[in-house]
Amino acid sequence: MKKYGIAALLVLAMAAISACSDNTAKTPSDTTNAPQQTYKWKLVTSWPKNFPGLGRGPETFAEYVNTMSGGRLQVTVYGAGELVPGFEVFDAVSQGTAQMGHAGAYYWKGKMPAAPIFSAIPFGMNVTEMNAWLHYGGGMELWRELYAPFGVIPFAGGNTGVQMAGWFKNEITSLDDFAGLNMRIPGLGGEVFKAVGGVPVSLTGGEIFVSLQSGAIDATEWVGPYNDLAFGLFRAADYYYHSGWHEPGTALEFIVNQEAYEALPEDLQKIVEVATRAVNQDMLDEYTARNNQAMQKLINEHGVKVRPLPDDVLNALKEPTAEVMAQKSAEDAMFKKVYESYSAFYEGVRNYHKLSEQAYYNNR
Ligand code: CA
């Protein structure tokens, strides 16, 4: 009985499908055979071409979009300096030199003081919390509001997870060791580093190794073992400190020129959106899988000395962090608005995570 039932249903379903396609074929507005417009986009990035993790994100995005759109939207990726320098990605997308970019929001702090909040805040949210705030806590709406005057639409574009505190030529035993230290450290972490007497230096990834090796800088942070191994930073400094108080779950960004986005048909817009969402997760998966392998290599093959930042150093950075955030809030209305949203969400999610994630980390 059941068998016949299913067979009958199948026949009905096939009849329905065939009726549907007949109807579709007769619809006057049918455009299935019409030539479809092809869009060619340039995607400029702040990273060396094909760089592990950060640079793979935009490459994966381009692969997804080119395939999912059947070649109707063709995205070509450019490394830092190939079309525009790494720190000019935002301007290039805003001006339409490129339709799309991949970078970190904290690189635009000179243009928009609130931008770094969409990358990372010292002692702030981790990757899970950051993604939750962006996609379900109002963060993305604020990010869009911030970039709107520039004709740029942001999407979350991957996350590194907790970074490392960085590479130092000498041991760090007290906060005094930061005094006068030239360190490559971006974003709000750099502001806090400055507040405790350090000298933050702004460099794109590709400039770091040479600067550290030549002594132009005394220390640097970059990302974590997977990326830091790729740059060979262990050849220029012996001490590798954890954990990344300054970047506890750094979000990357895809940015899209608004006019270019609005010129796309709805299905291609959705493909762009969904591909960014997929890369946002994929990048974290890659870091999670590769960081430990890289760390073992750094320790066992290259003799890197891995050290925790002393508790008193970490604790001494917390008050200056609060002061920097208060000062920025007083100086810039948008910073205040974004930081209030971030802080309210963080307080709630952190309380719950004390009972769940954090409790589990302590128990396992
Ligand atoms: Ca970093």
Side-chain angles (χ1 to χ4, degrees):
M1 281 291 285
K2 235 180 187 176
K3 254 188 186 171
Y4 287 122
I6 289 169
L9 275 177
L10 275 174
V11 169
L12 278 174
M14 286 173 75
I17 288 165
S18 123
C20 257
S21 39
D22 282 346
N23 280 344
T24 316
K26 284 171 193 159
T27 305
S29 65
D30 174 45
T31 54
T32 47
N33 293 322
Q36 288 180 314
Q37 189 173 346
T38 297
Y39 300 83
K40 292 190 176 172
W41 277 17
K42 297 184 179 88
L43 198 176
V44 292
T45 75
S46 296
W47 332 114
K49 176 82 176 161
N50 259 320
F51 192 72
L54 301 173
R56 280 306 307 161
E59 299 289 345
T60 305
F61 172 85
E63 288 163 24
Y64 286 166
V65 168
N66 294 353
T67 304
M68 285 195 287
S69 71
R72 290 163 56 219
L73 176 54
Q74 295 165 16
V75 179
T76 305
V77 180
Y78 296 86
E82 287 188 328
L83 205 59
V84 297
F87 282 158
E88 288 174 25
V89 166
F90 189 91
D91 286 343
V93 173
S94 176
Q95 290 155 11
T97 310
Q99 290 76 19
M100 212 170 160
H102 189 258
Y106 50 16
Y107 292 153
W108 327 129
K109 68 178 180 182
K111 194 184 296 290
M112 298 165 282
I117 303 177
F118 297 101
S119 289
I121 289 182
F123 302 105
M125 292 196 267
N126 67 14
V127 50
T128 316
E129 297 160 348
M130 189 70 185
N131 273 323
W133 175 61
L134 287 176
H135 298 119
Y136 288 91
M140 185 57 74
E141 288 79 0
L142 289 167
W143 202 356
R144 300 249 156 109
E145 185 182 330
L146 181 68
Y147 284 8
F150 301 91
V152 172
I153 305 171
F155 296 85
N159 196 300
T160 62
V162 181
Q163 298 200 358
M164 289 289 285
W167 296 86
F168 295 82
K169 297 203 179 210
N170 299 305
E171 277 192 271
I172 301 298
T173 55
S174 77
L175 200 64
D176 293 343
D177 294 326
F178 282 170
L181 203 71
N182 289 301
M183 178 170 180
R184 186 269 180 188
I185 175 169
L188 293 161
E191 308 268 340
V192 175
F193 185 66
K194 190 176 168 186
V196 299
V199 183
V201 178
S202 180
L203 295 172
T204 56
E207 301 167 309
I208 294 176
F209 178 78
V210 172
S211 303
L212 188 63
Q213 199 181 37
S214 71
I217 53 174
D218 308 307
T220 187
E221 68 78 60
W222 174 224
V223 180
Y226 180 44
N227 277 169
D228 296 7
L229 175 68
F231 268 161
L233 297 177
F234 60 89
R235 294 197 174 91
D238 289 338
Y239 295 96
Y240 197 22
Y241 276 89
H242 66 86
S243 63
W245 61 276
H246 65 305
E247 295 196 53
T250 304
L252 287 313
E253 65 177 12
F254 281 111
I255 48 178
V256 183
N257 177 280
Q258 190 180 339
E259 270 180 41
Y261 188 72
E262 285 170 358
L264 294 179
E266 204 179 346
D267 61 334
L268 292 185
Q269 287 181 346
K270 186 54 86 175
I271 284 174
V272 168
E273 181 194 328
V274 172
T276 64
R277 204 78 157 84
V279 168
N280 190 47
Q281 182 62 46
D282 184 70
M283 190 187 292
L284 178 68
D285 297 346
E286 187 185 1
Y287 277 116
T288 306
R290 308 258 190 255
N291 270 331
N292 181 53
Q293 297 165 357
M295 184 61 104
Q296 296 312 313
K297 206 167 180 177
L298 286 169
I299 295 169
N300 299 323
E301 292 179 27
H302 301 298
V304 168
K305 300 175 182 81
V306 178
R307 301 273 189 274
L309 276 178
D311 284 346
D312 54 346
V313 170
L314 283 172
N315 287 330
L317 290 164
K318 286 178 182 170
E319 189 54 40
T321 296
E323 285 165 13
V324 164
M325 302 311 284
Q327 190 195 336
K328 299 255 163 212
S329 293
E331 287 168 1
D332 186 82
M334 192 59 186
F335 188 101
K336 184 169 186 284
K337 184 175 168 180
V338 177
Y339 186 51
E340 277 174 359
S341 165
Y342 179 105
S343 302
F345 190 86
Y346 187 19
E347 192 181 343
V349 80
R350 180 168 46 184
N351 282 336
Y352 175 65
H353 274 172
K354 278 181 186 161
L355 312 176
S356 54
E357 304 283 336
Q358 198 167 333
Y360 175 66
Y361 278 179
N362 293 338
N363 289 339
R364 71 181 181 180

